[in-house]
Amino acid sequence: MKLEADVAVLGSGFGGSLAALVARRLGLTVALLERGTHPRFAIGESTSPLANLLLEEIARRYGLPRLLPLCKWGPWRREYPALACGLKRGFSFYAHPSAAGRPFAGDPDRSDQLLVGASPRDEVADTHWYRPDFDAFLVGEARDAGAEYADRAELERVESMNEDGIRFSGRRAGEPLEIRARLAVDASGPRGFLWRALRIGERPRPFEGMPETAGLYAHFTDVHRLDEMGVLPDGQTPPYPPDDAALHHVFDGGWIWVLRFGNGLTSAGVAARDPLARALRFEEGAPAWERLLERLPTVRDQFASARPALPFVHRPRLPFRTEQASGPGWTMLPSAAAFVDPLLSTGFPLTLLGIERLGRALAEDWGSPSLRDRLARDARRSLAETDAAALLVGALSSAFDDFPLFAALSKLYFAAASFSEAARRLGRPELAGSFLCSDREPFASRTRSICFRAIGRSGLDRASLIEDVHEAIAPLDVAGLGRRDRRNWYPFRGEDLVEKAGKLGATAEEAHALLERCGLSEPIAV
C-alpha cells in the first residue's frame, strides 16, 4: 500500500484526529495512520475549562460545528447521547493520613480537603472523555472530512527526510506500507514512532524537580460515591457534588484519581513515586491495586463492590520529555513530545495549544521556507510550557504529605488557569500567551522560586511559603482563591470575576457580558 499526502498524521487519538481535521479544513491532503483499531482504551480522560475553551476556539476557527456540543456537558448529552462522557464540575481533593491503615478524617474545618469549582451548574460543566467513544467519533469526523485513514499500520522506519518532506515505511495487515508526505505530525504518544525511529534523545531525568513515578490504572464498575458513604463533614453543603468532578485521593507517596462516566464505568488509577510503586509491586496489576487499597481504608470502602472492566495497565515510567520535537519534514504534538503526570489534567490544554499553533502555522506558512523555523519555535515553546507544568506538579507531589501546603501550591495552577480562560474569553489572549502564564512576569519567576523551595523542603517555613503563594497569585486571582474565609471550598462565582475584572483590563460591564454570553452568570453560594 502506498500513500501520498501533504500531511501525514501518526496516531489517531483525539490529538491526531483533531490535527487531521484542521489540516483538511485548510485544504491539505491528509493521511491519518493508526497502529491499532478503534474503539480502544486510552489514558487521558478529564478536561478543564481552558481545554474546552481551546477546543471550542479550534472548532469555530476551522468550521467544525459538530465539535461544538462536545465542549460542555449539557450540549454533549443532548446532541450525542450515544457517546459516553462524565460530568466534571471541578477538582476535588481529599487527603489521607500518612500512617497507613487510617481512614480519611473528614475534619470539620475542611483542612484535609480542597474543592475548586469550575462551573456554576451541570449544563455548562466540563467533561470526562470516555476515550473509546470520543476518539472513534473524531476519527469518523476526520474520514468524513476527506482524510485517508489507515489502521493496523505498523510503521517501522524513516527512509528519508529533508526540506521537501519525509518518507517512511512499515506494514499494514501484513502487507508493505509506504508513506510520502511533505510534513509528518507525530501524535503517537510518549516514546512514539518518530522518537524511536529517529533515535531522539530523552533526558535521563525528564523534568527538573519532578520525581520518577509509575502508573497503574483501569476502568471499573460499581464504584461507590463518597457523598453516599458518610465520610464527608456533616451539616456542610459543598459547592458541587464532590464525586461529579475529577476526584483525587492524596496520600504520602502518590495519588489516586476517580473519574465517573455516564455509562456506568469509572476510570481510576494511581500515580506513585517509584519507591512506593516498587514496594507495592505495580507490575503485578490487580494484586498491587489491592495492596494499595489496604493502606487507604476509605478508598478501599469506596471500591468495595468495584470490579475492573479491563486488565490493569502498568506504566513503569510516567514522566517523559524528548530532547527535540521538530525537524526537517516533521513535528510532534505536545502529547508525543512529553508527558508529566495526570495530576491537574494539564495534558489536554497543552496538546490543544499545540494543535492551535500547528493550525496557524499551516494556514500562514504552508509552502513557505519559514514553516520549518516556525514549527521549531512552536515546539520549543510547547516543551518550555511542559517544563513549567512539570515543575508545579513536582512541587505538588512533594507536598502530598503536607496537605495545607499542597492546597496552597495548587492555587498557582488554578489562578493561572482561570486567568487565562477569562483573558481568552474577553478577547485578550496576549495577557496569558503561554500555558499557566509561564511567560508572564513576575508571576512566572515567583512560581519557579516557590516550587523549588517546596521541593527542597529542608528548613522550609511553611507559613511563609503559603503567604508567598497568595502574594504571587494576587495579580491573577479572578476566582476568589485568596479568600481564606472560604476554607478550602472555592465555588465558581461570577461575582469574583466581575469584582476583579480590572486585572484583565476589563470593566465590570464587560465581565457581566462575558458571563451572560458563556452561560456562566449563575453563582453558587457556599
Side-chain angles (χ1 to χ4, degrees), residues 106 153 182 215 308 322 344 399 448 451 500 504-505 519:
R182 295 174 65 185
T322 184
L344 300 178
R448 283 183 58 82
C451 288
K500 305 299 183 182
L504 293 152

Side-chain angles (χ1 to χ4, degrees), residues 145-181:
E148 186 166 4
Y149 175 65
D151 60 8
R152 298 168 294 155
E154 293 283 347
L155 304 180
E156 296 171 352
R157 66 184 62 86
V158 173
E159 303 291 350
S160 64
M161 61 179 183
N162 52 48
E163 300 298 337
D164 295 324
I166 187 168
R167 181 169 65 90
F168 42 94
S169 62
R171 303 188 73 81
R172 181 173 188 252
E175 298 296 324
L177 174 65
E178 181 179 323
I179 302 99
R180 295 175 183 267

Side-chain angles (χ1 to χ4, degrees), residues 395-435:
L396 287 165
S397 68
S398 74
F400 282 156
D401 62 342
D402 185 345
F403 194 72
L405 179 58
F406 174 92
L409 292 170
S410 74
K411 294 179 182 180
L412 294 167
Y413 166 82
F414 291 113
S418 56
F419 182 88
S420 299
E421 180 197 358
R424 295 185 79 102
R425 290 196 183 281
L426 285 166
R428 297 172 170 85
E430 69 281 357
L431 295 177
S434 287
F435 183 55

Side-chain angles (χ1 to χ4, degrees), residues 68 134 136 140 183 194 208 237-238 256 297 318 367 379 411 428-429 504:
L68 291 174
F134 188 77
L183 176 69
L194 286 180
E208 194 175 22
T237 303
I256 290 170
L318 285 176
K411 294 179 182 180
R428 297 172 170 85
L504 293 152

Side-chain angles (χ1 to χ4, degrees), residues 9-329:
V9 180
L10 318 181
S12 65
F14 94 89
S17 295
L18 187 54
L21 272 168
V22 168
R24 283 297 302 136
R25 284 294 187 264
L26 292 171
L28 303 176
T29 57
V30 176
L32 179 59
L33 306 171
E34 168 59 43
R35 182 175 61 179
T37 60
H38 288 278
R40 52 94 189 277
F41 172 80
I43 195 62
E45 299 159 314
S46 195
T47 67
S48 66
L50 181 57
N52 280 308
L53 175 56
L54 289 166
L55 180 60
E56 178 183 340
E57 290 179 352
I58 290 169
R60 293 190 187 281
R61 180 175 299 122
Y62 298 104
L64 301 167
R66 284 173 52 80
L67 303 191
L68 291 174
L70 302 173
C71 301
K72 296 183 178 67
W73 187 83
W76 180 324
R77 296 290 291 164
R78 285 192 300 276
E79 296 297 323
Y80 300 115
L83 296 183
C85 71
L87 175 61
K88 183 177 181 180
R89 287 286 305 278
F91 292 77
S92 305
F93 300 88
Y94 293 93
H96 296 260
S98 295
R102 290 178 54 198
F104 171 70
D107 289 340
D109 65 357
R110 309 200 290 254
S111 62
D112 54 4
Q113 61 179 281
L114 171 67
L115 272 64
V116 182
S119 60
R121 59 190 186 281
D122 294 356
E123 173 69 14
V124 292
D126 301 314
T127 54
H128 308 308
W129 294 346
Y130 182 63
R131 294 286 297 278
D133 284 0
F134 188 77
D135 288 5
F137 174 82
L138 286 182
V139 168
E141 294 297 295
R143 295 181 73 176
D144 290 346
E148 186 166 4
Y149 175 65
D151 60 8
R152 298 168 294 155
E154 293 283 347
L155 304 180
E156 296 171 352
R157 66 184 62 86
V158 173
E159 303 291 350
S160 64
M161 61 179 183
N162 52 48
E163 300 298 337
D164 295 324
I166 187 168
R167 181 169 65 90
F168 42 94
S169 62
R171 303 188 73 81
R172 181 173 188 252
E175 298 296 324
L177 174 65
E178 181 179 323
I179 302 99
R180 295 175 183 267
R182 295 174 65 185
L183 176 69
V185 177
D186 194 342
S188 59
R191 305 178 183 92
F193 170 68
L194 286 180
W195 182 81
R196 298 192 309 271
L198 300 179
R199 300 185 179 182
I200 302 171
E202 175 183 359
R203 290 179 176 176
R205 189 177 183 88
F207 299 105
E208 194 175 22
M210 180 70 198
E212 292 295 326
T213 58
L216 183 67
Y217 46 86
H219 285 170
F220 296 83
T221 60
D222 301 316
V223 177
H224 297 312
R225 293 177 63 96
L226 279 187
D227 54 16
E228 296 174 353
M229 292 170 55
V231 300
L232 304 182
D234 292 333
Q236 300 185 33
T237 303
Y240 56 84
D243 294 85
D244 295 338
L247 176 60
H248 306 68
H249 294 292
V250 176
F251 53 91
D252 189 8
W255 68 284
I256 290 170
W257 68 85
V258 183
L259 312 174
R260 296 179 176 277
F261 301 115
N263 59 359
L265 294 177
T266 297
S267 172
V270 56
R273 289 179 179 241
D274 278 358
L276 179 58
R278 288 194 295 268
L280 294 173
R281 301 191 297 280
F282 271 18
E283 69 276 4
E284 295 181 9
W289 178 255
E290 294 300 324
R291 287 190 284 269
L292 173 64
L293 296 192
E294 285 302 314
R295 295 172 173 240
L296 306 166
T298 303
V299 186
R300 180 192 61 207
D301 292 345
Q302 186 177 18
F303 283 80
S305 302
R307 297 292 180 269
L310 50 80
F312 278 84
V313 177
H314 171 222
R315 285 186 57 180
R317 291 187 300 154
L318 285 176
F320 163 77
R321 185 195 189 277
T322 184
E323 291 282 12
Q324 181 183 356
S326 185

